[in-house]
DNA sequence: CGCTAGATTGAATCAATTCAATGAGCGTGG
DNA sequence: CCACGCTCATTGAATTGATTCAATCTAGCG
């Protein structure tokens, strides 16, 4: 049964009440579900993008490349997230978006959205909320990279991912699948691969997490939150909804 | 004569055409102009904010504090910028906003805005555009802090500020007033004060900039842009408008 | 079985921080 | 008018967190 409701509706519903009519309207603007291999660009920096996507399954990221090959991942995109080329149509995208794993996504033509939001002011609110979530996440990342050391950064990322995966049913208790290579984490956290490795290893040894490539379990959530000064508030999830998970 | 048009209208007009009616509507929602001393909190992290502000004069910033006193500045706010507690009403602010210099600002009650945007779809576009500008700026900051070294970061910041100050008439040719202490720059760039100092000094010596506390001149813009891989596109200014300055 | 991508570890190096002083500019009060 | 105290800028020296370089190890795969 579960899995029938698209993940993005699940994610929205955890925070915003949607009438059946609004759900239908949202589903209506989505194109058909398509599949993409890992490591494929979805949106490319500098191009104009007439449509976005809804990520139903798999992980993706926003990223920027520097000339000499350095990469910075701006944000991870998880199932249920909506991917707009940041800039509704007018401005060329300032960054690229790529799949990290194989993904299922709905095409989302942006043309109809403004009209839809005008017809359903509640959807304008939802849209604003999503934008604010995104903004809050990148702001938190700035604090991470700018002022937290490696263990704090890694801890913060692992907690953020847990809290974001919960509402879409991808976190069982305190463990979840983490389909990121250490290189991807490094590119998101502004660290080197080697240092991410050492840091994960250390958090393992300290008994705060159990990390195995592809899988994490948060062993000592309280201590990890203290270490990272993590406060889930910035994710803008409602209190109750944050608890719902597959296993809950 | 100049200065009569509020800076935020000037900033918007550089990119979006506004009808006289829309201008009046925008001015109409602004409260009276008030003054604030330097280093005063405008919005406080964790509080609900029923209103925003329009920054007419002076510099401010969004920031987050960590428990041990580390500070991260997320974004500088310049004259003409609009300051909403990120989260329209519903969510407590995830960060604080404070003045850096003494400031003049209009109070901006948020209550009326959604209705106004519905009445003037063009204003919804303007609002979205502003949000996207903000998002793009913090994303660029992530690249800065995550993957650029100190000289690149400082160069990038100085260029960004120049390009942002131009449309509001605060950049004369290639020099502008920079009312930031080196500590503020350090907190924005994820560096230590000492290192910011050395880096500014180095850029001076290299002849790329002329920095004196309170004042910057970009001496070799081309080389500085190459160094920082700076591309003003992310600021979402229209091509032509970017050229207008007090001295132009 | 050899190949490749990713993970892991040690050692050397380096960019940036911290610690510690000094200097310059400014406002205030004696 | 000048001395004191404050903030901010500047510089040197020591330290360190993180990177780079270089191997080795492992698992999946044709």
């Amino acid at each position: 049964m579960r899995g029938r409701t698209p993940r993005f509706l699940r994610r929205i519903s955890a925070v915003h009440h949607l009438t059946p009519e609004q759900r239908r309207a949202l589903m209506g603007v989505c194109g058909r579900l398509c599949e993409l291999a890992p490591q494929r660009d979805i949106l490319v920096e500098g191009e104009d993008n007439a449509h976005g996507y809804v990520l139903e399954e798999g992980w993706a990221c926003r990223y920027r490349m520097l000339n000499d090959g350095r990469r910075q991942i701006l944000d991870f995109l998880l199932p249920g997230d909506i991917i707009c080329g940041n800039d509704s149509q007018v401005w060329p995208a300032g960054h690229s978006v790529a799949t990290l794993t194989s993904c299922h996504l709905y095409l989302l033509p942006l043309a109809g959205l403004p009209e839809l939001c005008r017809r359903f002011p509640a959807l304008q609110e939802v849209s604003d909320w999503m934008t604010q979530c995104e903004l809050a996440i990148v702001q938190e990342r700035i604090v991470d990279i700018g002022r937290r050391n490696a263990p704090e950064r890694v801890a913060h990322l692992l907690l953020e991912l847990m809290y974001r995966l919960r509402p879409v049913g991808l976190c069982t208790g305190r463990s979840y699948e983490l389909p990121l290579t250490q290189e991807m984490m490094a590119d998101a956290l502004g660290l080197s691969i080697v240092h991410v490795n050492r840091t994960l290893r250390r958090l393992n040894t300290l008994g705060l997490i159990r990390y195995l490539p592809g899988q994490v379990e948060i062993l000592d959530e309280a201590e990890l939150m203290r270490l990272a000064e993590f406060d889930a508030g910035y994710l803008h999830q409602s209190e109750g909804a944050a608890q719902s998970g597959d296993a809950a």
Side-chain angles (χ1 to χ4, degrees), chain A:
Chain A
M1 280 305 111
R2 83 163 186 250
R4 286 299 168 78
T5 308
R7 285 241 162 72
F8 77 103
L9 285 185
R10 214 169 141 171
R11 178 169 165 235
I12 296 172
S13 302
V15 175
H16 294 268
H17 176 71
L18 292 178
T19 66
E21 188 185 15
Q22 289 164 353
R23 286 174 168 259
R24 274 194 303 277
L26 277 177
M27 286 302 295
V29 289
C30 289
R32 61 186 199 75
L33 196 61
C34 57
E35 211 172 325
L36 225 67
Q39 314 284 345
R40 291 286 182 285
D41 275 340
I42 301 178
L43 303 178
V44 177
E45 183 183 342
E47 296 186 358
D48 301 315
N49 305 110
H51 51 263
Y53 296 89
V54 177
L55 185 54
E56 178 59 22
E57 188 75 49
W59 289 39
C61 72
R62 300 178 186 280
Y63 72 96
R64 287 252 286 112
M65 297 295 305
L66 296 186
N67 289 336
D68 63 355
R70 284 176 285 181
R71 176 171 79 158
Q72 178 64 45
I73 289 179
L74 303 169
D75 193 3
F76 290 115
L77 299 165
L78 311 185
D81 282 343
I82 292 187
I83 307 169
C84 293
N86 253 351
D87 335 276
S88 22
Q89 309 168 51
V90 185
W91 305 94
H95 60 265
S96 303
V97 177
T99 59
L100 296 173
T101 68
S102 69
C103 288
H104 295 185
L105 12 82
Y106 296 104
L107 206 70
L108 182 69
L110 297 177
L113 290 187
E115 170 54 25
L116 199 68
C117 289
R118 227 167 303 134
R119 198 145 57 86
F120 298 103
L123 292 189
Q124 180 67 54
E125 264 178 55
V126 169
S127 167
D128 291 346
W129 165 73
M130 288 202 155
T131 308
Q132 292 305 332
C133 287
E134 225 178 293
L135 190 51
I137 287 171
V138 293
Q139 286 177 334
E140 198 62 34
R141 184 76 66 241
I142 289 182
V143 179
D144 257 19
I145 300 179
R147 288 297 181 224
R148 289 197 246 254
N149 59 28
E152 294 166 343
R153 282 183 221 186
V154 172
H156 198 280
L157 176 65
L158 294 180
L159 286 168
E160 174 182 314
L161 293 174
M162 178 171 77
Y163 275 82
R164 289 176 62 189
L165 289 169
R166 262 193 193 147
V168 286
L170 291 171
C171 175
T172 305
R174 288 199 172 73
S175 58
Y176 56 90
E177 277 183 49
L178 180 73
L180 300 177
T181 65
Q182 296 180 357
E183 180 174 23
M184 294 168 187
M185 290 189 250
D187 285 344
L189 295 174
L191 295 170
S192 65
I193 305 178
V194 172
H195 205 49
V196 166
N197 181 287
R198 286 195 235 274
T199 306
L200 283 168
R201 202 121 302 292
R202 181 128 62 97
L203 294 178
N204 258 339
T205 306
L206 291 172
L208 299 180
I209 63 173
R210 170 155 50 233
Y211 166 81
L212 292 171
Q215 185 78 24
V216 204
E217 181 178 0
I218 306 297
L219 294 178
D220 188 342
E221 184 172 356
E223 179 58 17
L224 211 58
M225 290 181 84
R226 205 196 51 68
L227 172 66
E229 287 189 36
F230 182 88
D231 175 350
Y234 73 99
L235 293 172
H236 295 203
Q237 300 169 339
S238 55
E239 309 304 302
Q243 295 309 321
S244 78
D246 261 348

